[in-house]
């Protein structure tokens, strides 16, 4: 019988949960409402929680409180997609519920789950029942009603309640019932709880790194094109400060070191401060940091040496580079002067990235559907701009929440324009007014998002019926406004059918971005058909290079 959880056991529970979630991420991904190849809930939750598990794996904390706090902060920074953000909020609440506790009991864990549920609900502007929110709320209710002291029996009870609630999500949301699936986020949460329960036997748990990662990365100039002498500040310096006084501000540290380097990022998270700076005097930076608190996880890399090795080494050796070395090398860039405003956009495909860059976007984060960047990826891109005000274009409804989390982790002013599609993001950029203030620009760009109709064409990954439409695996699907509006066996015919539902006599411009699996000749055939069908509209064709979607189409 297990009645108490100490820091060591809690660490095992976190590692076990990460393993369980990543082992089953494909099954969670498959719980997609639409039969399209973009299910990514399991991947997002798995990568989000893996960030927390790595934090736990690399450190030994003295209390459950400290462990939970570190895990909560790591999930926040690593949050990907709506499901990852909500999971991070659940653990943010759990951390609050466990604050100050060295060990925890059933009663403590029950209170923490309630706090996790409440925090997740408060983080979502319009909570929807039949989702992960419902599952965590019912789990918290069952936890509070449990009367025993044995943690094994406790987890059996809450998991049983969670699974029962999960099964009911199919009837709670029409789209789930129609697709015949349970809520994917709720299923991911159940794997986390099962992982917790599996670790209660006290056996050591080894973290299993996922076989592959879709971690989004910024599209930058290839490192080989840079010269080592272009690196003005040689030492990439990173560390975490455990504050002597939790109420102390990191402002004095920021003022002391900001003139000593570039690419500075200081994240003040209550009891801890995360510091990153490129400098030629890491000793001075550390001297200033120790005035604020005790330093841990200190990492200082000589980027000039790394860059020389990267450029001069053979590709076979480069392939052996560790993950940490790769991330450090990716940060190498000439100094960027501080500026007032910059725009960061998320896009997948070289053509789409080039389009945004040509329109004045400073940083492109490679990502989109099936490849959602994390909050930390977005934060890093904003930091690279070295702008005081940064406008973020998520260009995907599943990235908006992650982008919004970045607002709380930096001293830069972040504005998140709620662009849900690539065309909406392009429309937003085209509304740019160099004479407008950042606040005015945010308003203008947000309004521009609503001026364009967006559609896309992909394919079905399973047989199903949606809104009365019989869909066979392999059919082409046209999507617009969050719905499947056309189904067919011919790609051009499906695309034309999609546009018929979007265009009318007032349409002036039809833009077609063709993907990686479409040839230029095929795109020209579609464009010719659209020009003939809509003689009063300008039909513009671009190579987007995007994965998953054959065409992304906008109508204005």
């Amino acid at each position: 019988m297990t009645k108490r959880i100490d820091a060591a056991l809690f660490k095992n529970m976190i590692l076990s949960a990460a393993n369980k979630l990543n082992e089953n991420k494909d099954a969670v991904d498959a719980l997609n409402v639409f039969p399209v190849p973009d299910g990514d809930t399991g991947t997002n939750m798995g990568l989000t929680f893996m960030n927390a598990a790595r934090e736990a794996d690399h450190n030994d904390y003295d209390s459950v409180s400290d462990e939970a706090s570190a895990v909560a902060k790591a999930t926040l920074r690593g949050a990907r997609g709506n499901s990852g953000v909500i999971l991070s909020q659940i653990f943010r609440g759990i951390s609050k519920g466990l604050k100050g506790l060295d060990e925890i009991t059933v009663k403590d864990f029950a209170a923490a789950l309630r706090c996790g549920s409440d925090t997740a609900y408060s983080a979502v502007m319009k909570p929807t029942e039949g989702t992960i929110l419902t599952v965590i709320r019912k789990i918290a209710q069952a936890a509070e009603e449990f009367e025993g002291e044995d943690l094994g029996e406790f987890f059996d009870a809450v998991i049983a309640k969670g699974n029962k609630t999960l099964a009911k999500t199919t009837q709670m949301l029409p789209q789930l019932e129609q697709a015949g699936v349970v809520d994917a986020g709720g299923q991911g949460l159940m794997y986390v709880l099962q992982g917790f329960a599996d670790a209660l036997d006290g056996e050591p748990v080894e973290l299993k790194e996922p076989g592959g990662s879709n971690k989004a990365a910024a599209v930058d100039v290839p490192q080989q094109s840079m010269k080592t002498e272009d690196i003005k500040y040689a030492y990439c310096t990173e560390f975490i400060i455990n504050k002597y006084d939790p109420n102390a501000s990191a402002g004095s540290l920021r003022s002391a070191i900001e003139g000593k380097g570039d690419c500075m990022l200081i994240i003040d998270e209550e009891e801890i401060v995360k510091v990153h700076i490129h400098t030629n005097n890491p000793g001075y930076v550390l001297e200033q940091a120790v005035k604020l608190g005790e330093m841990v996880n200190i990492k200082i890399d000589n980027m000039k040496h790394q860059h020389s090795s990267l450029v001069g080494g053979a590709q076979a050796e480069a392939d052996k580079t560790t993950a940490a070395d790769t991330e450090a090398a990716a940060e190498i860039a000439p100094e960027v002067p501080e500026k007032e405003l910059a725009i960061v956009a998320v896009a997948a495909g070289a053509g789409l990235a080039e389009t945004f860059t040509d329109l004045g976007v400073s940083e492109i984060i490679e990502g989109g559907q099936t490849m959602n960047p994390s909050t930390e990826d977005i934060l890093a891109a904003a930091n690279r701009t070295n702008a005081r005000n940064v406008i973020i274009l998520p260009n995907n409804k599943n990235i908006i929440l992650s982008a919004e989390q970045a607002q709380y982790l930096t001293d830069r002013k972040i504005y998140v324009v709620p662009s849900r599609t690539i065309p909406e993001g392009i429309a937003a950029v085209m509304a740019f007014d160099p004479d407008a203030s950042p606040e005015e620009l945010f308003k203008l760009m947000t309004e521009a998002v609503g001026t364009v109709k967006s559609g896309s064409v992909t394919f079905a990954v399973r047989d199903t019926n949606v809104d009365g439409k019989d869909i066979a695996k392999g059919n082409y699907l046209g999507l617009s406004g969050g719905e499947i509006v056309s189904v067919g066996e011919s790609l051009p015919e499906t695309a034309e059918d999609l546009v018929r539902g979007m265009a009318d006599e007032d349409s002036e411009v039809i833009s077609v971005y063709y993907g990686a699996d479409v040839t230029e000749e095929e795109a020209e055939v579609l464009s010719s058909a659209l020009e003939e069908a809509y003689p009063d509209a300008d039909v513009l064709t671009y190579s987007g290079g995007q994965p998953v979607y054959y065409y992304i189409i906008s109508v204005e």
Side-chain angles (χ1 to χ4, degrees):
M1 178 183 292
T2 303
K3 291 186 177 183
R4 305 187 73 84
I5 297 173
D6 60 12
L9 178 54
F10 192 67
K11 174 178 180 176
N12 277 344
M13 292 168 66
I14 296 297
L15 303 185
S16 176
N19 289 342
K20 177 67 72 172
L21 187 51
N22 276 285
E23 287 167 3
N24 293 279
K25 66 180 181 180
D26 291 341
V28 178
D29 282 345
L31 297 174
N32 197 11
V33 172
F34 285 157
V36 295
D38 63 1
D40 53 11
T41 299
T43 297
N44 284 337
M45 295 182 77
L47 289 172
T48 296
F49 206 69
M50 183 56 67
N51 211 52
R54 292 189 185 109
E55 172 67 29
D57 195 36
H58 295 159
N59 297 281
D60 290 317
Y61 294 93
D62 295 328
S63 70
V64 171
S65 175
D66 290 344
E67 187 99 47
S69 177
V71 166
K73 291 178 173 66
T75 54
L76 177 61
R77 294 191 298 269
R80 296 171 187 267
N82 294 342
S83 55
V85 171
I86 293 174
L87 184 64
S88 77
Q89 293 304 310
I90 290 173
F91 274 88
R92 178 168 167 249
I94 288 175
S95 172
K96 290 179 181 178
L98 300 178
K99 189 170 183 178
L101 300 176
D102 293 334
E103 297 181 341
I104 58 175
T105 63
V106 163
K107 185 177 180 180
D108 297 326
F109 213 111
L113 287 172
R114 168 56 62 194
C115 195
S117 174
D118 292 345
T119 302
Y121 266 89
S122 63
V124 179
M125 186 173 296
K126 295 181 180 179
T128 301
E129 296 301 332
T131 66
I132 184 175
L133 293 173
T134 305
V135 177
I136 184 60
R137 178 168 58 81
K138 290 294 186 179
I139 283 172
Q141 180 182 327
E144 290 173 326
E145 293 172 352
F146 184 80
E147 296 181 351
E149 296 182 355
D150 181 62
L151 282 154
E153 294 177 357
F154 170 76
F155 275 102
D156 286 344
V158 297
I159 288 173
K161 183 65 174 182
N163 283 329
K164 185 177 180 180
T165 303
L166 181 65
K168 290 182 178 179
T169 60
T170 303
Q171 287 79 47
M172 292 180 186
L173 286 175
Q175 55 266 46
L176 293 178
E177 184 174 16
Q178 187 170 249
V181 297
V182 297
D183 178 68
Q187 180 64 81
L189 178 62
M190 294 313 302
Y191 283 126
V192 170
L193 287 176
Q194 187 59 59
F196 280 173
D198 290 346
L200 290 176
D201 59 10
E203 291 297 318
V205 178
E206 181 179 347
L207 183 63
K208 302 174 184 176
E209 288 285 345
S213 171
N214 69 344
K215 178 177 174 62
V219 178
D220 286 324
V221 179
Q223 302 305 319
Q224 288 81 351
S225 67
M226 298 177 187
K227 298 178 180 179
T228 302
E229 54 266 30
D230 288 334
I231 303 172
K232 183 176 180 180
Y233 297 103
Y235 298 98
C236 175
T237 305
E238 295 180 277
F239 51 87
I240 291 175
I241 304 171
N242 291 321
K243 292 182 183 178
Y244 299 131
D245 178 2
N247 297 317
S249 169
S252 58
L253 173 63
R254 183 180 290 109
S255 299
I257 69 174
E258 63 183 351
K260 299 296 184 180
D262 65 3
C263 294
M264 185 178 76
L265 177 63
I266 295 182
I267 302 174
D268 194 341
E269 298 179 331
E270 297 180 353
E271 299 94 345
I272 70 167
V273 179
K274 183 176 181 182
V275 180
H276 171 279
I277 187 172
H278 294 173
T279 181
N280 286 329
N281 195 342
Y284 174 82
V285 173
L286 298 181
E287 286 175 6
Q288 299 305 309
V290 77
K291 297 176 182 178
L292 185 61
E294 181 183 29
M295 290 179 291
V296 296
N297 293 5
I298 300 172
K299 183 166 77 75
I300 301 174
D301 294 319
N302 186 325
M303 297 189 299
K304 287 188 176 182
H305 174 74
Q306 288 178 327
H307 186 253
S308 298
S309 300
L310 180 64
V311 174
Q315 183 61 46
E317 288 302 311
D319 289 341
K320 296 178 183 178
T321 305
T322 65
D325 291 337
T326 302
E327 290 180 6
E331 291 175 340
I332 301 170
E335 181 181 7
V336 179
E338 187 177 38
K339 50 191 172 184
E340 182 64 24
L341 179 80
I343 302 174
V344 172
V346 180
L352 295 180
E354 184 177 357
T355 296
F356 278 109
T357 301
D358 289 345
L359 290 172
V361 171
S362 301
E363 285 282 338
I364 304 296
I365 305 172
E366 185 181 356
Q369 200 65 35
T370 75
M371 194 167 60
N372 296 160
S374 69
T375 294
E376 197 162 37
D377 294 328
I378 296 168
L379 191 64
N383 187 57
R384 281 193 297 273
T385 68
N386 206 19
R388 288 180 286 275
N389 298 277
V390 182
I391 294 176
I392 309 291
L393 298 172
N395 300 333
N396 185 290
K397 66 179 182 180
N398 207 31
I399 300 174
I400 294 174
L401 271 180
S402 297
E404 289 176 343
Q405 297 302 304
Q407 297 175 101
Y408 310 111
L409 300 176
T410 178
D411 55 352
R412 302 182 194 280
K413 182 65 175 177
I414 303 288
Y415 300 86
V416 180
V417 174
S419 54
R420 299 165 299 172
T421 66
I422 290 294
E424 287 183 354
I426 291 173
V429 177
M430 294 184 71
F432 182 83
D433 181 352
D435 296 324
S437 68
E439 292 79 9
E440 292 169 335
L441 264 179
F442 171 68
K443 183 178 180 181
L444 286 172
M445 295 173 77
T446 299
E447 290 173 348
V449 162
T451 64
V452 63
K453 298 176 183 177
S454 305
S456 57
V457 181
T458 185
F459 64 95
V461 295
R462 66 172 186 270
D463 296 340
T464 189
N465 182 287
V466 177
D467 294 331
K469 299 180 181 70
D470 289 324
I471 299 173
K473 181 179 180 180
N475 279 167
Y476 296 104
L477 305 176
L479 299 93
S480 181
E483 298 181 356
I484 297 175
V485 297
S486 60
V487 180
E489 297 181 1
S490 164
L491 178 56
E493 289 179 6
T494 303
E496 290 175 47
D497 191 27
L498 169 66
V499 175
R500 272 193 291 273
M502 297 168 61
D504 55 34
E505 64 274 7
D506 297 324
S507 300
E508 298 178 351
V509 180
I510 300 173
S511 300
V512 177
Y513 302 87
Y514 61 92
D517 297 319
V518 176
T519 66
E520 183 178 358
E521 292 74 18
E522 290 171 327
E524 288 176 350
V525 170
L526 174 61
S527 295
S528 297
L530 295 178
E531 287 173 350
E532 183 177 346
Y534 306 96
D536 295 331
D538 292 329
V539 179
L540 309 176
T541 305
Y542 308 92
S543 172
Q546 70 273 5
V548 182
Y549 295 98
Y550 298 107
Y551 294 107
I552 294 175
I553 301 173
S554 68
V555 176
E556 301 173 69

